[in-house]
PDB file of all heavy atoms in Angstrom:
ATOM      1  N   GLN A   1       2.590  -4.460   2.939  1.00 98.00           N
ATOM      2  CA  GLN A   1       3.990  -4.042   2.803  1.00 98.00           C
ATOM      3  C   GLN A   1       4.284  -3.613   1.367  1.00 98.00           C
ATOM      4  O   GLN A   1       4.899  -2.583   1.134  1.00 98.00           O
ATOM      5  CB  GLN A   1       4.944  -5.166   3.232  1.00 98.00           C
ATOM      6  CG  GLN A   1       6.414  -4.778   3.158  1.00 98.00           C
ATOM      7  CD  GLN A   1       6.782  -3.613   4.060  1.00 98.00           C
ATOM      8  OE1 GLN A   1       6.281  -3.491   5.172  1.00 98.00           O
ATOM      9  NE2 GLN A   1       7.656  -2.746   3.579  1.00 98.00           N
ATOM     10  N   GLU A   2       3.822  -4.415   0.419  1.00 98.00           N
ATOM     11  CA  GLU A   2       4.014  -4.054  -0.987  1.00 98.00           C
ATOM     12  C   GLU A   2       3.258  -2.768  -1.309  1.00 98.00           C
ATOM     13  O   GLU A   2       3.740  -1.922  -2.064  1.00 98.00           O
ATOM     14  CB  GLU A   2       3.532  -5.201  -1.886  1.00 98.00           C
ATOM     15  CG  GLU A   2       3.792  -4.963  -3.356  1.00 98.00           C
ATOM     16  CD  GLU A   2       3.251  -6.068  -4.251  1.00 98.00           C
ATOM     17  OE1 GLU A   2       2.864  -7.137  -3.744  1.00 98.00           O
ATOM     18  OE2 GLU A   2       3.222  -5.840  -5.466  1.00 98.00           O
ATOM     19  N   GLY A   3       2.073  -2.603  -0.717  1.00 98.00           N
ATOM     20  CA  GLY A   3       1.297  -1.379  -0.922  1.00 98.00           C
ATOM     21  C   GLY A   3       2.044  -0.155  -0.425  1.00 98.00           C
ATOM     22  O   GLY A   3       2.073   0.883  -1.091  1.00 98.00           O
ATOM     23  N   TYR A   4       2.665  -0.271   0.742  1.00 98.00           N
ATOM     24  CA  TYR A   4       3.462   0.823   1.297  1.00 98.00           C
ATOM     25  C   TYR A   4       4.626   1.170   0.368  1.00 98.00           C
ATOM     26  O   TYR A   4       4.869   2.338   0.061  1.00 98.00           O
ATOM     27  CB  TYR A   4       3.966   0.428   2.688  1.00 98.00           C
ATOM     28  CG  TYR A   4       4.950   1.392   3.285  1.00 98.00           C
ATOM     29  CD1 TYR A   4       4.540   2.646   3.727  1.00 98.00           C
ATOM     30  CD2 TYR A   4       6.295   1.055   3.417  1.00 98.00           C
ATOM     31  CE1 TYR A   4       5.452   3.544   4.280  1.00 98.00           C
ATOM     32  CE2 TYR A   4       7.206   1.938   3.971  1.00 98.00           C
ATOM     33  CZ  TYR A   4       6.780   3.179   4.407  1.00 98.00           C
ATOM     34  OH  TYR A   4       7.685   4.066   4.941  1.00 98.00           O
ATOM     35  N   GLU A   5       5.322   0.148  -0.107  1.00 98.00           N
ATOM     36  CA  GLU A   5       6.462   0.376  -0.997  1.00 98.00           C
ATOM     37  C   GLU A   5       6.012   1.018  -2.313  1.00 98.00           C
ATOM     38  O   GLU A   5       6.670   1.922  -2.832  1.00 98.00           O
ATOM     39  CB  GLU A   5       7.193  -0.942  -1.243  1.00 98.00           C
ATOM     40  CG  GLU A   5       7.890  -1.456   0.008  1.00 98.00           C
ATOM     41  CD  GLU A   5       8.335  -2.906  -0.070  1.00 98.00           C
ATOM     42  OE1 GLU A   5       8.191  -3.546  -1.139  1.00 98.00           O
ATOM     43  OE2 GLU A   5       8.822  -3.417   0.964  1.00 98.00           O
ATOM     44  N   LYS A   6       4.884   0.561  -2.854  1.00 98.00           N
ATOM     45  CA  LYS A   6       4.385   1.145  -4.107  1.00 98.00           C
ATOM     46  C   LYS A   6       3.874   2.568  -3.891  1.00 98.00           C
ATOM     47  O   LYS A   6       3.957   3.401  -4.792  1.00 98.00           O
ATOM     48  CB  LYS A   6       3.308   0.258  -4.726  1.00 98.00           C
ATOM     49  CG  LYS A   6       3.904  -1.000  -5.308  1.00 98.00           C
ATOM     50  CD  LYS A   6       3.031  -1.605  -6.358  1.00 98.00           C
ATOM     51  CE  LYS A   6       3.788  -2.786  -6.963  1.00 98.00           C
ATOM     52  NZ  LYS A   6       3.313  -3.145  -8.258  1.00 98.00           N
ATOM     53  N   PHE A   7       3.356   2.849  -2.687  1.00 98.00           N
ATOM     54  CA  PHE A   7       2.946   4.220  -2.375  1.00 98.00           C
ATOM     55  C   PHE A   7       4.143   5.155  -2.487  1.00 98.00           C
ATOM     56  O   PHE A   7       4.055   6.222  -3.092  1.00 98.00           O
ATOM     57  CB  PHE A   7       2.338   4.299  -0.963  1.00 98.00           C
ATOM     58  CG  PHE A   7       1.936   5.692  -0.566  1.00 98.00           C
ATOM     59  CD1 PHE A   7       0.694   6.185  -0.930  1.00 98.00           C
ATOM     60  CD2 PHE A   7       2.800   6.514   0.140  1.00 98.00           C
ATOM     61  CE1 PHE A   7       0.325   7.478  -0.589  1.00 98.00           C
ATOM     62  CE2 PHE A   7       2.445   7.803   0.490  1.00 98.00           C
ATOM     63  CZ  PHE A   7       1.198   8.288   0.117  1.00 98.00           C
ATOM     64  N   ILE A   8       5.273   4.742  -1.928  1.00 98.00           N
ATOM     65  CA  ILE A   8       6.494   5.555  -1.996  1.00 98.00           C
ATOM     66  C   ILE A   8       6.943   5.708  -3.448  1.00 98.00           C
ATOM     67  O   ILE A   8       7.274   6.801  -3.901  1.00 98.00           O
ATOM     68  CB  ILE A   8       7.616   4.921  -1.149  1.00 98.00           C
ATOM     69  CG1 ILE A   8       7.241   4.954   0.332  1.00 98.00           C
ATOM     70  CG2 ILE A   8       8.947   5.623  -1.397  1.00 98.00           C
ATOM     71  CD1 ILE A   8       8.139   4.112   1.212  1.00 98.00           C
ATOM     72  N   GLU A   9       6.931   4.616  -4.190  1.00 98.00           N
ATOM     73  CA  GLU A   9       7.417   4.608  -5.576  1.00 98.00           C
ATOM     74  C   GLU A   9       6.523   5.402  -6.524  1.00 98.00           C
ATOM     75  O   GLU A   9       7.008   6.151  -7.368  1.00 98.00           O
ATOM     76  CB  GLU A   9       7.500   3.152  -6.048  1.00 98.00           C
ATOM     77  CG  GLU A   9       7.849   2.970  -7.507  1.00 98.00           C
ATOM     78  CD  GLU A   9       7.668   1.530  -7.963  1.00 98.00           C
ATOM     79  OE1 GLU A   9       7.604   0.613  -7.125  1.00 98.00           O
ATOM     80  OE2 GLU A   9       7.580   1.338  -9.186  1.00 98.00           O
ATOM     81  N   LEU A  10       5.196   5.242  -6.393  1.00 98.00           N
ATOM     82  CA  LEU A  10       4.268   5.761  -7.397  1.00 98.00           C
ATOM     83  C   LEU A  10       3.602   7.087  -7.042  1.00 98.00           C
ATOM     84  O   LEU A  10       3.079   7.761  -7.926  1.00 98.00           O
ATOM     85  CB  LEU A  10       3.172   4.711  -7.671  1.00 98.00           C
ATOM     86  CG  LEU A  10       3.676   3.360  -8.181  1.00 98.00           C
ATOM     87  CD1 LEU A  10       2.528   2.361  -8.235  1.00 98.00           C
ATOM     88  CD2 LEU A  10       4.332   3.511  -9.544  1.00 98.00           C
ATOM     89  N   ASP A  11       3.572   7.467  -5.762  1.00 97.00           N
ATOM     90  CA  ASP A  11       2.955   8.708  -5.304  1.00 97.00           C
ATOM     91  C   ASP A  11       1.527   8.882  -5.847  1.00 97.00           C
ATOM     92  O   ASP A  11       1.231   9.845  -6.559  1.00 97.00           O
ATOM     93  CB  ASP A  11       3.822   9.909  -5.705  1.00 97.00           C
ATOM     94  CG  ASP A  11       3.363  11.190  -5.040  1.00 97.00           C
ATOM     95  OD1 ASP A  11       2.801  11.131  -3.931  1.00 97.00           O
ATOM     96  OD2 ASP A  11       3.536  12.264  -5.658  1.00 97.00           O
ATOM     97  N   PRO A  12       0.621   7.951  -5.503  1.00 98.00           N
ATOM     98  CA  PRO A  12      -0.748   8.045  -6.005  1.00 98.00           C
ATOM     99  C   PRO A  12      -1.536   9.173  -5.336  1.00 98.00           C
ATOM    100  O   PRO A  12      -1.191   9.629  -4.244  1.00 98.00           O
ATOM    101  CB  PRO A  12      -1.344   6.685  -5.607  1.00 98.00           C
ATOM    102  CG  PRO A  12      -0.596   6.317  -4.373  1.00 98.00           C
ATOM    103  CD  PRO A  12       0.809   6.821  -4.597  1.00 98.00           C
ATOM    104  N   ASP A  13      -2.602   9.607  -6.001  1.00 97.00           N
ATOM    105  CA  ASP A  13      -3.523  10.591  -5.411  1.00 97.00           C
ATOM    106  C   ASP A  13      -4.371   9.930  -4.332  1.00 97.00           C
ATOM    107  O   ASP A  13      -4.700  10.547  -3.318  1.00 97.00           O
ATOM    108  CB  ASP A  13      -4.462  11.165  -6.480  1.00 97.00           C
ATOM    109  CG  ASP A  13      -3.721  11.893  -7.578  1.00 97.00           C
ATOM    110  OD1 ASP A  13      -2.735  12.599  -7.264  1.00 97.00           O
ATOM    111  OD2 ASP A  13      -4.125  11.759  -8.748  1.00 97.00           O
ATOM    112  N   ILE A  14      -4.762   8.680  -4.589  1.00 97.00           N
ATOM    113  CA  ILE A  14      -5.668   7.947  -3.709  1.00 97.00           C
ATOM    114  C   ILE A  14      -5.219   6.492  -3.641  1.00 97.00           C
ATOM    115  O   ILE A  14      -4.752   5.923  -4.629  1.00 97.00           O
ATOM    116  CB  ILE A  14      -7.119   8.020  -4.246  1.00 97.00           C
ATOM    117  CG1 ILE A  14      -7.604   9.480  -4.267  1.00 97.00           C
ATOM    118  CG2 ILE A  14      -8.072   7.146  -3.422  1.00 97.00           C
ATOM    119  CD1 ILE A  14      -8.921   9.693  -4.995  1.00 97.00           C
ATOM    120  N   VAL A  15      -5.385   5.881  -2.461  1.00 98.00           N
ATOM    121  CA  VAL A  15      -5.105   4.462  -2.271  1.00 98.00           C
ATOM    122  C   VAL A  15      -6.382   3.787  -1.792  1.00 98.00           C
ATOM    123  O   VAL A  15      -7.035   4.282  -0.872  1.00 98.00           O
ATOM    124  CB  VAL A  15      -4.001   4.239  -1.211  1.00 98.00           C
ATOM    125  CG1 VAL A  15      -3.764   2.747  -0.983  1.00 98.00           C
ATOM    126  CG2 VAL A  15      -2.714   4.945  -1.593  1.00 98.00           C
ATOM    127  N   THR A  16      -6.755   2.669  -2.431  1.00 96.00           N
ATOM    128  CA  THR A  16      -7.798   1.820  -1.857  1.00 96.00           C
ATOM    129  C   THR A  16      -7.067   0.693  -1.141  1.00 96.00           C
ATOM    130  O   THR A  16      -6.189   0.053  -1.715  1.00 96.00           O
ATOM    131  CB  THR A  16      -8.769   1.258  -2.914  1.00 96.00           C
ATOM    132  OG1 THR A  16      -8.076   0.384  -3.799  1.00 96.00           O
ATOM    133  CG2 THR A  16      -9.438   2.377  -3.697  1.00 96.00           C
ATOM    134  N   MET A  17      -7.409   0.475   0.133  1.00 96.00           N
ATOM    135  CA  MET A  17      -6.640  -0.435   0.984  1.00 96.00           C
ATOM    136  C   MET A  17      -7.566  -1.440   1.661  1.00 96.00           C
ATOM    137  O   MET A  17      -8.405  -1.061   2.477  1.00 96.00           O
ATOM    138  CB  MET A  17      -5.917   0.400   2.051  1.00 96.00           C
ATOM    139  CG  MET A  17      -5.103  -0.396   3.034  1.00 96.00           C
ATOM    140  SD  MET A  17      -3.476  -0.855   2.425  1.00 96.00           S
ATOM    141  CE  MET A  17      -2.691   0.751   2.278  1.00 96.00           C
ATOM    142  N   ASP A  18      -7.375  -2.713   1.311  1.00 94.00           N
ATOM    143  CA  ASP A  18      -8.081  -3.780   2.007  1.00 94.00           C
ATOM    144  C   ASP A  18      -7.553  -3.837   3.439  1.00 94.00           C
ATOM    145  O   ASP A  18      -6.407  -3.452   3.700  1.00 94.00           O
ATOM    146  CB  ASP A  18      -7.831  -5.109   1.277  1.00 94.00           C
ATOM    147  CG  ASP A  18      -8.668  -6.261   1.801  1.00 94.00           C
ATOM    148  OD1 ASP A  18      -9.707  -6.012   2.450  1.00 94.00           O
ATOM    149  OD2 ASP A  18      -8.289  -7.412   1.547  1.00 94.00           O
ATOM    150  N   ILE A  19      -8.375  -4.325   4.368  1.00 92.00           N
ATOM    151  CA  ILE A  19      -7.913  -4.428   5.757  1.00 92.00           C
ATOM    152  C   ILE A  19      -7.216  -5.752   6.015  1.00 92.00           C
ATOM    153  O   ILE A  19      -6.111  -5.792   6.539  1.00 92.00           O
ATOM    154  CB  ILE A  19      -9.082  -4.211   6.746  1.00 92.00           C
ATOM    155  CG1 ILE A  19      -9.490  -2.740   6.728  1.00 92.00           C
ATOM    156  CG2 ILE A  19      -8.678  -4.634   8.149  1.00 92.00           C
ATOM    157  CD1 ILE A  19     -10.586  -2.373   7.686  1.00 92.00           C
ATOM    158  N   THR A  20      -7.835  -6.853   5.628  1.00 90.00           N
ATOM    159  CA  THR A  20      -7.294  -8.175   5.946  1.00 90.00           C
ATOM    160  C   THR A  20      -6.408  -8.664   4.805  1.00 90.00           C
ATOM    161  O   THR A  20      -6.908  -8.997   3.726  1.00 90.00           O
ATOM    162  CB  THR A  20      -8.442  -9.170   6.195  1.00 90.00           C
ATOM    163  OG1 THR A  20      -9.299  -8.619   7.200  1.00 90.00           O
ATOM    164  CG2 THR A  20      -7.913 -10.514   6.640  1.00 90.00           C
ATOM    165  N   MET A  21      -5.083  -8.658   5.051  1.00 92.00           N
ATOM    166  CA  MET A  21      -4.104  -9.104   4.055  1.00 92.00           C
ATOM    167  C   MET A  21      -2.928  -9.753   4.760  1.00 92.00           C
ATOM    168  O   MET A  21      -2.675  -9.476   5.931  1.00 92.00           O
ATOM    169  CB  MET A  21      -3.585  -7.906   3.236  1.00 92.00           C
ATOM    170  CG  MET A  21      -4.604  -7.230   2.365  1.00 92.00           C
ATOM    171  SD  MET A  21      -3.878  -5.882   1.401  1.00 92.00           S
ATOM    172  CE  MET A  21      -3.590  -4.646   2.672  1.00 92.00           C
ATOM    173  N   PRO A  22      -2.171 -10.582   4.023  1.00 92.00           N
ATOM    174  CA  PRO A  22      -0.969 -11.185   4.612  1.00 92.00           C
ATOM    175  C   PRO A  22       0.192 -10.193   4.672  1.00 92.00           C
ATOM    176  O   PRO A  22       0.088  -9.099   4.131  1.00 92.00           O
ATOM    177  CB  PRO A  22      -0.658 -12.332   3.643  1.00 92.00           C
ATOM    178  CG  PRO A  22      -1.203 -11.861   2.332  1.00 92.00           C
ATOM    179  CD  PRO A  22      -2.427 -11.042   2.671  1.00 92.00           C
ATOM    180  N   VAL A  23       1.261 -10.594   5.301  1.00 95.00           N
ATOM    181  CA  VAL A  23       2.522  -9.860   5.457  1.00 95.00           C
ATOM    182  C   VAL A  23       2.324  -8.639   6.365  1.00 95.00           C
ATOM    183  O   VAL A  23       2.849  -8.581   7.446  1.00 95.00           O
ATOM    184  CB  VAL A  23       3.171  -9.461   4.116  1.00 95.00           C
ATOM    185  CG1 VAL A  23       4.508  -8.769   4.335  1.00 95.00           C
ATOM    186  CG2 VAL A  23       3.326 -10.663   3.196  1.00 95.00           C
ATOM    187  N   LEU A  24       1.566  -7.648   5.897  1.00 96.00           N
ATOM    188  CA  LEU A  24       1.225  -6.458   6.679  1.00 96.00           C
ATOM    189  C   LEU A  24      -0.221  -6.146   6.355  1.00 96.00           C
ATOM    190  O   LEU A  24      -0.567  -5.964   5.179  1.00 96.00           O
ATOM    191  CB  LEU A  24       2.135  -5.286   6.295  1.00 96.00           C
ATOM    192  CG  LEU A  24       1.891  -3.961   7.013  1.00 96.00           C
ATOM    193  CD1 LEU A  24       2.206  -4.090   8.507  1.00 96.00           C
ATOM    194  CD2 LEU A  24       2.732  -2.852   6.387  1.00 96.00           C
ATOM    195  N   ASP A  25      -1.084  -6.099   7.363  1.00 94.00           N
ATOM    196  CA  ASP A  25      -2.495  -5.851   7.078  1.00 94.00           C
ATOM    197  C   ASP A  25      -2.728  -4.383   6.707  1.00 94.00           C
ATOM    198  O   ASP A  25      -1.812  -3.553   6.769  1.00 94.00           O
ATOM    199  CB  ASP A  25      -3.402  -6.304   8.235  1.00 94.00           C
ATOM    200  CG  ASP A  25      -3.301  -5.437   9.488  1.00 94.00           C
ATOM    201  OD1 ASP A  25      -2.621  -4.388   9.475  1.00 94.00           O
ATOM    202  OD2 ASP A  25      -3.931  -5.815  10.492  1.00 94.00           O
ATOM    203  N   GLY A  26      -3.947  -4.079   6.307  1.00 95.00           N
ATOM    204  CA  GLY A  26      -4.274  -2.736   5.853  1.00 95.00           C
ATOM    205  C   GLY A  26      -4.108  -1.674   6.917  1.00 95.00           C
ATOM    206  O   GLY A  26      -3.709  -0.549   6.620  1.00 95.00           O
TER     207      GLY A  26
END
């Protein structure tokens, strides 16, 4: 979830995303 929010905020070229995480998985 935090990754999604930071994607919107930061507009990165590339995201590395773990699969197994709390709150919202990869």
Side-chain angles (χ1 to χ4, degrees):
Q1 182 61 38
E2 185 183 348
Y4 172 71
E5 292 166 4
K6 288 203 175 201
F7 178 85
I8 294 168
E9 174 190 342
L10 301 172
D11 190 29
D13 299 321
I14 298 170
V15 178
T16 65
M17 179 82 66
D18 188 20
I19 289 182
T20 306
M21 294 182 288
V23 183
L24 179 65
D25 71 6

